[in-house]
Amino acid sequence: MIKHRKMKRNIMLLSLIFALTASSVTAYAEASKTSGSQTSTSPSAKNEKSSQNKMTAFTPEQLPKLLLQGKYDRIYKQLSPPFKKQISLKDLKKVGLPFHKGIASYTLLSQLHANDIKRYIWLDSKGEKGIEVIFDSKNIIHSMLFKKIQKFPETDAQRTKTTFELPFHGDWFTYWGGTNALVNYHYDHETQRYAYDIVMKNKGLSYKGDATKNESYYAFGQPIVAAATGKVVQVVNDIEDNVPVGTANEEHPAGNHVIIDHGNGEFSYYAHLQKGSVSVKVGDEVSVGDDLGKCGNSGNSSEAHLHFQVSDGADLFTSKSIRVQWKDADDYVQGSTIKAP
């Protein structure tokens, strides 16, 4: 994502911000980067952790039913200690009970396992309300979101006139993508509604080794290629990649990037590229598969990934995003692995 990218990949980097509104309860955690920072060392916290270990934890798959049954006491016992410091059982019930009233069932929409966290998303049968919850490996809940789903059926139905191929080679993973804000962070903002954030993973992790170093991430340095024929109209190539990983450059949100004009009022964006890696210049004519640069971690980015989208103009922040017509797929939704030639 290019703007307000706040969610971190590793549970140890999560920050705890709690907000209550009429439609949602949200918590995103941020503990310190040290391995023991997630749990308090106070006697009460240790006793609570011991109690959690002794009780039979419910699985992520059981949570929707527990919410519909109103079993908030049991749910609350499985919240992480930092989460409990930000929300009381009373407040959780105050938001949760009316939100889930009248809902018959929830269906699993997305299941994302990455870097020691498990992120589940469920939608109700009408597609009007959703739940997003982050669990750790022991099924302790570190984040919970109840959200009313915005829909934009008119723009969802409109596809690009240009048919696009994949802008990379090999196997990649869709971290954000799809047509609601739970699976695609960008969706509520028309300038980035149909954007994708794509990473590389191996055995559930997007990196190997030191998580603070860009070179540890599988996507870092991978070639990014043109997804359709067109003319290069904008290039930025001199922005530093973020060091250490987890910091972000909000002054230059897109980081190093390339924008291509495909005609028909359609422009593709390739953002967060590696500094100095861009191999094209303004005015160049490119064909499908031509090298553009390398995947990086520049701009408002929390780790090496490709932000790709198509819009109706060359200005990212004033143009409207257009849903992509892909050559070999209807769409790439969060949690899907993409296999490119």
Side-chain angles (χ1 to χ4, degrees):
M1 69 193 60
I2 289 180
K3 188 178 182 181
H4 303 312
R5 185 182 178 86
K6 300 300 184 186
M7 181 175 290
K8 303 293 192 290
R9 298 290 188 265
N10 193 307
I11 205 72
M12 299 310 298
L13 298 178
L14 293 176
S15 80
L16 197 44
I17 304 169
F18 170 66
L20 278 174
T21 70
S23 61
S24 68
V25 52
T26 331
Y28 293 113
E30 184 166 288
S32 73
K33 297 179 183 179
T34 58
S35 61
S37 63
Q38 191 175 338
T39 304
S40 169
T41 57
S42 67
S44 59
K46 289 181 179 179
N47 291 337
E48 182 173 22
K49 182 177 180 180
S50 176
S51 175
Q52 285 178 333
N53 290 337
K54 290 180 180 179
M55 73 179 184
T56 302
F58 58 83
T59 65
E61 291 77 10
Q62 293 174 302
L63 178 60
K65 187 174 181 179
L66 293 173
L67 287 168
L68 294 177
Q69 292 174 338
K71 296 185 177 181
Y72 287 90
D73 294 73
R74 184 178 179 190
I75 294 169
Y76 193 79
K77 289 179 181 178
Q78 209 155 305
L79 303 190
S80 69
F83 198 164
K84 289 180 179 178
K85 288 181 180 179
Q86 300 300 315
I87 181 172
S88 67
L89 174 59
K90 180 180 178 180
D91 283 338
L92 184 60
K93 289 181 178 180
K94 183 178 179 180
V95 174
L97 287 170
F99 183 88
H100 302 289
K101 185 177 180 180
I103 295 176
S105 63
Y106 282 103
T107 300
L108 182 66
L109 178 65
S110 173
Q111 181 176 330
L112 179 65
H113 292 194
N115 298 359
D116 301 322
I117 66 170
K118 299 181 292 184
R119 181 172 180 267
Y120 287 78
I121 293 173
W122 294 271
L123 281 182
D124 77 314
S125 57
K126 296 181 180 179
E128 296 176 347
K129 292 183 177 181
I131 310 168
E132 173 195 284
V133 184
I134 291 178
F135 297 82
D136 65 18
S137 59
K138 295 181 179 180
N139 290 334
I140 301 301
I141 296 172
H142 293 261
S143 167
M144 188 180 297
L145 169 68
F146 305 150
K147 182 177 177 63
K148 291 183 178 178
I149 304 300
Q150 276 191 289
K151 298 180 180 180
F152 302 95
E154 291 186 7
T155 56
D156 286 354
Q158 297 171 7
R159 302 283 185 137
T160 56
K161 296 177 182 178
T162 306
T163 298
F164 288 88
E165 299 188 27
L166 293 169
F168 42 70
H169 304 296
D171 293 356
W172 291 65
F173 183 81
T174 310
Y175 198 89
W176 294 111
T179 53
N180 73 65
L182 288 178
V183 294
N184 191 356
Y185 166 90
H186 312 90
Y187 185 75
D188 285 346
H189 312 283
E190 66 176 357
T191 59
Q192 298 183 53
R193 180 161 296 152
Y194 303 106
Y196 300 86
D197 282 332
I198 304 171
V199 302
M200 274 189 157
K201 286 204 317 176
N202 184 22
K203 297 180 180 179
L205 297 174
S206 60
Y207 66 92
K208 181 179 180 180
D210 188 344
T212 67
K213 295 182 178 180
N214 286 307
E215 293 77 13
S216 298
Y217 288 78
Y218 298 115
F220 192 75
Q222 292 294 320
I224 301 301
V225 301
T229 297
K231 182 178 181 179
V232 177
V233 294
Q234 190 174 125
V235 168
V236 173
N237 195 29
D238 60 353
I239 296 174
E240 298 288 341
D241 289 280
N242 299 319
V243 178
V245 173
T247 59
N249 183 347
E250 296 184 359
E251 293 183 5
H252 303 281
N256 301 305
H257 62 275
V258 174
I259 301 176
I260 300 174
D261 181 358
H262 302 284
N264 299 315
E266 296 174 351
F267 298 77
S268 61
Y269 295 73
Y270 311 75
H272 307 309
L273 302 178
Q274 185 178 338
K275 180 186 178 183
S277 73
V278 176
S279 55
V280 294
K281 62 183 183 299
V282 172
D284 283 354
E285 299 283 347
V286 295
S287 299
V288 176
D290 285 353
D291 285 338
L292 300 178
K294 295 180 179 180
C295 183
N297 183 32
S298 59
N300 198 8
S301 167
S302 64
E303 73 172 65
H305 75 285
L306 174 67
H307 174 105
F308 177 82
Q309 71 176 80
V310 179
S311 296
D312 63 5
D315 188 325
L316 177 64
F317 300 106
T318 61
S319 304
K320 294 180 180 179
S321 178
I322 310 171
R323 194 174 182 190
V324 178
Q325 177 175 279
W326 293 103
K327 179 182 178 182
D328 297 319
D330 177 65
D331 204 352
Y332 296 105
V333 179
Q334 181 188 77
S336 60
T337 298
I338 306 173
K339 297 181 179 293

